[in-house]
Amino acid sequence: MKLYGRVYPSSYAVWTQLLRTLESMSVFHTMLLSFSSLLGWVVTVMNPRVTPEVTRDVCLLARMMAANLHFSQIEELMFELSMWRCNDELRVRAEELHRASRKAEKHYIEFWKQVPPTEPYRVILGYVRDKLYYTRERSRHLLTSGSSDIPADSTFTDVEQFLEPLELCYRSLCDCGDKTVADGSLLDFLRQVSTFGLSLVKLDIRQESDRHTDALDAITAHLGIGSYRSWPEEKRQEWLLSELRGRRPLFGGDLPMTEEVADVLGTFRVLAELPPDCFGAYIISMATAPSDVLAVELLQRECHVGHPLRVVPLFEKLADLEAAPAAVARLFSIDWYMDRIGGKQEVMIGYSDSGKDAGRLSAAWQLYKAQEELVKVAKQYGVKLTMFHGRGGTVGRGGGPTHLAILSQPPETVNGSLRVTVQGEVIEHSFGEEHLCFRTLQRFTAATLEHGMHPPVSPKPEWRALMDEMAVVATEEYRAMVFKEPRFVEYFRSATPETEYGRMNIGSRPSKRKPSGGIETLRAIPWIFAWTQTRFHLPVWLGFGAAFKHIMHKDIRNVQALREMYNEWPFFRVTLDLLEMVFAKGDPGIAALYDELLVADELKPLGEQLRSNYEDTKKLLVQVAGHRDVLEDDPYLKQRLRLRDPYITTLNVCQAYTLKRIRDPSFQVTAQPPLSKEFTDENQPASLVKLNAASEYAPGLEDTLILTMKGIAAGMQNTG
């Protein structure tokens, strides 16, 4: 990542500036630790390309990089701290280290081969330098050959071991009247080590709950006690708890297992093998019940994970969000589990898959209610709850302006700390440069503080009733089209570049969770991405129109109630404002062009029906917001989108004709001049083939498609 490569010192300077500004204000300390998770990575081990070996290599590489960065700064400190005056504590330590020091190694420059005992700070820092060198080299050996002759006790295995001699130097300088020196480079380095540790970043591990079920099913079958998968939830919990409270091992090396089960257990063995500071949380995708959490706890114990990762259930689909408070309450009622978590719990909620499952309106409302209920459950059991928001970059995946997103959360759900995902498509815009990194941290800090000091209003009972009713109607319309309309899947795959996107090597993981199946197996990213490319944004708005129409026709006074909600309730206003922004970026005329070129005649009426629904929803939206047109309250953003439109439209036209050429090689552009000679000429020069010689498409077509996809995606990025 660019953030930790060449621009690392600048990124660190941002942290230093932020910490120095807030160091005297203790209320910020916990918050800053929460923000450090923004600089972490998540390894999605449910991605088939992320094997246990890849996870291990990523951790070792990060550890090697961290040691190397710290090593260079230790040598700078050794040049700086040449003084002889020190307190008794440091002098005794320096004498001990000097007596025990070995002959200088060849890997140091000549100047540092012999550090005299009259320079006690350099003796201490030389000891730290040696340990860092061996830490780096051991990681390098393990990374390249899988083994190392360097013993673990010659390295730093814990960040506290690293900090202790540095803190000793700091105390000594302060005791001797050199606090100005102590508060310079040394204090900066202490902060850097405290923030980035020995692992540079903490890796979150993420795996789907079904994969854990498969592993436990293999174990119970091997033990001859039945099929774990077929057991009801109560029996699963009973068995898991009995094993967690006991001591017997469940399996050995003779456990028969499939490749998928071996992959799951291999990941847990990597967690046991590497230092615990390499890892953050273990996230369970598609969590549905308490047994999903207990299963991971048991697998960690069985694979001998010495310092178990905190387990974070991720509730994604609508039904799972509804059941989440009861599932968490059941976990909190278990004495063993309460002892395990020590009064702290993290729960992740998914915006992408909940939106794909039920539509944006219903998902947003259920996410809101789930957070309220989860906070109530945590208060009841005296647990500090941290919400982890699995937002994507686009509106359809829960994305939007950071400040507004946090302020629209329910009251008492932030409490000075939160976690968020920063998706790959937007991470460079948030952390790619020093000023961007600092601005992003400012936004999170300001919004988190404002949410606590000036909590948003709670919705009135009548607002809740309207939202409940609207959500039911919106879900029915969304699912009736996406999951029940027999022609929809065929239309979707014809009218968008979803099929081509899934076949190209531009995604971080396969576009589907399973090779077969319909929309339910498609990942949320290509689902949103495909509609974004055609400027139709169907997953964002589908369902809103039916919900508005139902409420308005039921009682004309509801129009005024909806406007009151828009003006007074931050959650509702942010939801509709983001929808307005999406309509401002959308263009049903572009979607019609894709239909004209790519969709079979018998499916075109479905496209016309959807575009009519689009226009109706847009009219109802501006009526509810009290506007004459979309983005009436934000003319600056509206103008920016207008300036982008001609360029994006050109890319859309190019993409639509490229898709036509890919799907129908006999197609020739006759109604207008060819886009280029290479585009239509079957005898392309050999140099063009080099663009992507491995492509299964005609030369140049895949490259054209990728360029248009990236250009349209850039033009459609959130600008609010």
Side-chain angles (χ1 to χ4, degrees), residues 316-337:
E316 299 185 73
K317 293 188 176 181
L318 198 67
D320 299 335
L321 286 166
E322 292 171 351
V328 172
R330 168 59 184 145
L331 285 171
F332 290 166
S333 69
I334 300 170
D335 293 340
W336 179 92
Y337 189 76

Side-chain angles (χ1 to χ4, degrees), residues 82-212:
S82 60
M83 58 283 293
W84 58 269
R85 186 173 55 187
C86 63
N87 64 13
D88 293 339
E89 182 184 15
L90 188 137
R91 180 178 294 105
V92 170
R93 176 74 64 84
E95 290 173 353
E96 292 174 354
L97 290 174
H98 192 269
R99 285 194 299 268
S101 63
R102 296 176 295 180
K103 186 178 179 181
E105 302 287 350
K106 293 181 180 179
H107 47 258
Y108 297 129
I109 61 176
E110 192 68 29
F111 183 79
W112 292 126
K113 283 193 174 180
Q114 297 295 332
V115 179
T118 54
E119 298 173 356
Y121 293 97
R122 285 178 170 171
V123 172
I124 299 293
L125 295 175
Y127 161 78
V128 174
R129 174 197 58 181
D130 292 346
K131 298 273 277 189
L132 275 177
Y133 175 83
Y134 289 119
T135 301
R136 181 186 68 189
E137 292 305 296
R138 178 177 168 82
S139 297
R140 185 173 63 84
H141 294 166
L142 292 173
L143 186 63
T144 55
S145 63
S147 62
S148 176
D149 295 333
I150 300 173
D153 58 6
S154 297
T155 69
F156 284 125
T157 57
D158 187 293
V159 72
E160 295 302 323
Q161 298 173 352
F162 190 3
L163 286 169
E164 190 273 334
L166 299 176
E167 291 171 346
L168 174 60
C169 291
Y170 183 85
R171 289 196 303 272
S172 177
L173 287 170
C174 292
D175 291 346
C176 295
D178 293 323
K179 192 173 189 307
T180 302
V181 176
D183 286 342
S185 301
L186 178 58
L187 183 57
D188 281 352
F189 187 56
L190 278 164
R191 287 167 172 156
Q192 176 179 317
V193 174
S194 298
T195 302
F196 297 104
L198 291 163
S199 56
L200 198 63
V201 290
K202 287 184 179 291
L203 215 61
D204 281 4
I205 305 296
R206 179 170 164 181
Q207 182 59 276
E208 199 165 341
S209 59
D210 273 352
R211 298 289 296 276
H212 304 133

Side-chain angles (χ1 to χ4, degrees), residues 2-3 7 11 426-434 436-437:
K2 184 185 296 185
L3 185 60
V7 298
S11 304
V426 296
I427 193 167
E428 187 171 359
H429 295 275
S430 299
F431 296 102
E433 298 178 20
E434 177 184 346
L436 294 175
C437 181

Side-chain angles (χ1 to χ4, degrees), residues 616-636:
D616 290 344
T617 302
K618 182 178 177 181
K619 292 175 183 176
L620 291 167
L621 171 65
V622 295
Q623 183 180 349
V624 169
H627 299 160
R628 290 168 295 180
D629 194 11
V630 293
L631 293 185
E632 182 182 285
D633 286 349
D634 196 344
Y636 175 63

Side-chain angles (χ1 to χ4, degrees), residues 10 28 55 86 90 151 219 239 253 265 291 358 381 437 469 475 587 589 591 594 610-611 620 629 660 662:
S10 298
F28 286 95
T55 303
C86 63
L90 188 137
I219 293 170
W239 180 75
L265 296 180
S291 63
Y381 288 90
C437 181
E469 193 171 346
T475 301
D587 190 336
Y594 281 79
L610 288 170
R611 288 192 292 277
L620 291 167
D629 194 11
K660 181 66 174 177
I662 287 173

